[in-house]
Amino acid sequence: MPTIEFRNVSKIYEGGDGLHPTDLLIGADEFVAVVGPSGSGKSTIIRLIAGLERPDTGEILIDGDVVNDIPTHARGVGMVVTTGALYSTLTAEANIGFPLRIAGIRAADRKGRVRKTASRFSVASILGRKPSEISVGERQLVATGRATIRDTPIVLFDEALTGIDPHRRESVKNELRTLHREGHTVLFATNSQDEAMAMSTRLVILEAGRIQQIAAPLDAYREPANAFVAGFLGDPGMNLLAGSVVGQDRLAIGDDELELPASRDPGPVLVGIRPEHVRIARPSTPFRRCLHARTIHVERLGAENIIHVAFGSADSGSVDFKVRSRDRNVPIQGEDIELEIETENVLLFESDTGQRITSDSR
Ligand code: ADP
Ligand code: MG
């Protein structure tokens, strides 16, 4: 099974964007989500692995061999891109069988394999149709079949779930999981953090052409390397507020002070608080765990509510601070409330660089 490695790989397009020098090692049995906002370099990474882009610097290795000069078809990769990449004049059957045709396999021998792949991806009934005659989700399934029919060890998906309606998306997701279980190395690029969190064994989190963190989903969620990752992961993401450490173990936020569980060096910090680490305070809550806030509005989502609050006076509170609540009773718009903060779960970041401050880093 293949490993994929980037050694100092960069790709900068005219205009200055792309991928800055990157080191990356993806193990044989991994299911990696390359995740980040639009324009962060996800497709560039996928295309570099597929051989559709050449790196400006560095080496790309598959299974320990440098593949910079190896063409796409000889790299052992299959690739699925966002809808539209099927050959529009060919039927679904011909599309799925296309890689076999290119590999010189005779029509009679292709048929059986195409049928098997088609039934696996639940598109056996539409094999005679052209891409314009099938749904977006079916096109994606056909494309997945085409990308995997040669049984390439590496399968790459670039935003492959985008535009598929939710019930179809589940079946494509399941096929991705199956491919991984069967021993393929799977990489998928997505701008959806929840898709990435839910599906992968490891996240490669990108912003502006630079990897911000490589970690298992829950590790990145609980111990984000920096404020970008903290805010990007989660729905809603981590709340980030300006504050400062005062004394040894107190954290000033606006007019309130929280008690920190461990002593930190004094100075300005960015304070990270997850929406689920906050609740409406009770009368017995120690005031060193409380922030005074005002309710802006409440999103009632059924299973939970997202309460949006502001701190301080009406004109100073620009931060949209979110609280996840399952309480039936939620505050009304404009109501003043006391929030209890789980101070043991508060994270601190350097206010200038955004790097997370760990107990031994400062
Ligand atoms: P993502 O897939 O994360 O949305 P891309 O990898 O496609 O991002 O692009 C990364 C950055 O490089 C973006 O700013 C994009 O506009 C730029 N870019 C991508 N391809 C080209 C190209 N062929 N020419 C110039 N700029 C490009
Ligand atoms: Mg892209």
Side-chain angles (χ1 to χ4, degrees):
M1 275 191 289
T3 58
I4 302 168
E5 188 175 355
F6 277 25
R7 290 188 188 155
N8 195 42
V9 170
S10 68
K11 172 75 197 176
I12 300 297
Y13 304 101
E14 255 175 67
D17 296 317
L19 185 70
H20 294 279
T22 296
D23 291 312
L24 180 62
L25 183 62
I26 293 167
D29 57 350
E30 290 205 72
F31 189 175
V32 170
V34 180
V35 63
S38 181
S40 58
K42 304 179 296 293
S43 296
T44 303
I45 287 186
I46 297 286
R47 293 170 60 80
L48 283 163
I49 297 169
L52 300 171
E53 298 284 357
R54 263 194 82 82
D56 297 338
T57 65
E59 292 176 329
I60 299 172
L61 295 87
I62 294 179
D63 248 355
D65 296 326
V66 177
V67 295
N68 288 38
D69 296 323
I70 307 285
T72 300
H73 66 84
R75 287 194 185 190
V77 301
M79 181 164 168
V80 186
V81 299
T82 322
T83 327
L86 294 178
Y87 302 108
S88 60
T89 57
L90 300 183
T91 61
E93 177 166 13
N95 265 288
I96 294 174
F98 193 80
L100 300 182
R101 199 173 107 196
I102 295 299
I105 294 170
R106 290 182 314 131
D109 298 331
R110 293 202 294 265
K111 216 163 183 75
R113 280 173 73 179
V114 169
R115 296 218 162 266
K116 202 166 142 218
T117 301
S119 72
R120 170 172 183 189
F121 292 103
S122 324
V123 289
S125 62
I126 50 139
L127 280 180
R129 295 196 222 154
K130 296 201 172 141
S132 61
E133 298 159 349
I134 59 180
S135 75
V136 173
E138 286 163 341
R139 274 179 238 162
Q140 214 59 56
L141 292 167
V142 169
T144 310
R146 185 180 65 182
T148 53
I149 194 164
R150 271 177 57 219
D151 206 30
T152 52
I154 298 170
V155 189
L156 308 171
F157 291 85
D158 193 358
E159 309 265 358
L161 304 179
T162 310
I164 304 182
D165 51 270
H167 78 278
R168 276 292 197 171
R169 201 175 299 159
E170 283 311 311
S171 68
V172 183
K173 277 186 184 175
N174 283 335
E175 285 315 322
L176 263 66
R177 292 192 181 98
T178 305
L179 288 170
H180 173 235
R181 266 202 307 277
E182 288 175 351
H184 295 266
T185 306
V186 181
L187 256 88
F188 72 105
T190 175
N191 59 23
S192 157
Q193 63 82 31
D194 58 331
E195 206 167 277
M197 291 282 297
M199 303 270 297
S200 67
T201 56
R202 215 146 61 113
L203 304 177
V204 173
I205 304 158
L206 277 171
E207 188 204 23
R210 292 181 204 278
I211 293 180
Q212 304 297 310
Q213 187 166 10
I214 303 175
L218 279 186
D219 292 342
Y221 189 82
R222 291 182 184 143
E223 300 189 333
N226 57 39
F228 171 80
V229 173
F232 186 74
L233 296 183
D235 182 23
M238 188 178 283
N239 295 297
L240 296 162
L241 298 166
S244 59
V245 176
V246 292
Q248 280 282 303
D249 59 356
R250 274 171 303 130
L251 184 61
I253 300 172
D255 297 332
D256 292 312
E257 280 185 8
L258 300 176
E259 190 162 27
L260 288 168
S263 68
R264 297 297 171 94
D265 290 349
V269 288
L270 209 48
V271 182
I273 304 173
R274 288 244 173 246
E276 58 270 34
H277 294 152
V278 186
R279 65 180 90 67
I280 310 286
R282 284 158 302 200
S284 59
T285 306
F287 82 105
R288 285 278 194 239
R289 286 172 73 84
C290 288
L291 293 178
H292 185 76
R294 185 168 30 83
T295 310
I296 303 299
H297 64 270
V298 179
E299 290 173 65
R300 294 166 190 274
L301 303 177
E304 62 180 20
N305 302 298
I306 306 295
I307 309 168
H308 295 248
V309 307
F311 299 108
S313 60
D315 47 29
S316 75
S318 58
V319 178
D320 179 16
F321 189 95
K322 299 169 195 86
V323 178
R324 196 187 293 282
S325 167
R326 296 200 159 189
D327 284 352
R328 274 166 185 262
N329 297 320
V330 290
I332 56 167
Q333 188 174 337
E335 190 177 338
D336 277 350
I337 51 173
E338 291 292 329
L339 297 177
E340 177 180 355
I341 310 296
E342 292 178 11
T343 49
E344 59 281 14
N345 288 319
V346 168
L347 300 182
L348 301 182
F349 302 89
E350 302 279 0
S351 57
D352 47 356
T353 64
Q355 291 303 304
R356 185 160 59 89
I357 303 167
T358 55
S359 31
D360 37 43
S361 73
R362 242 175 100 160

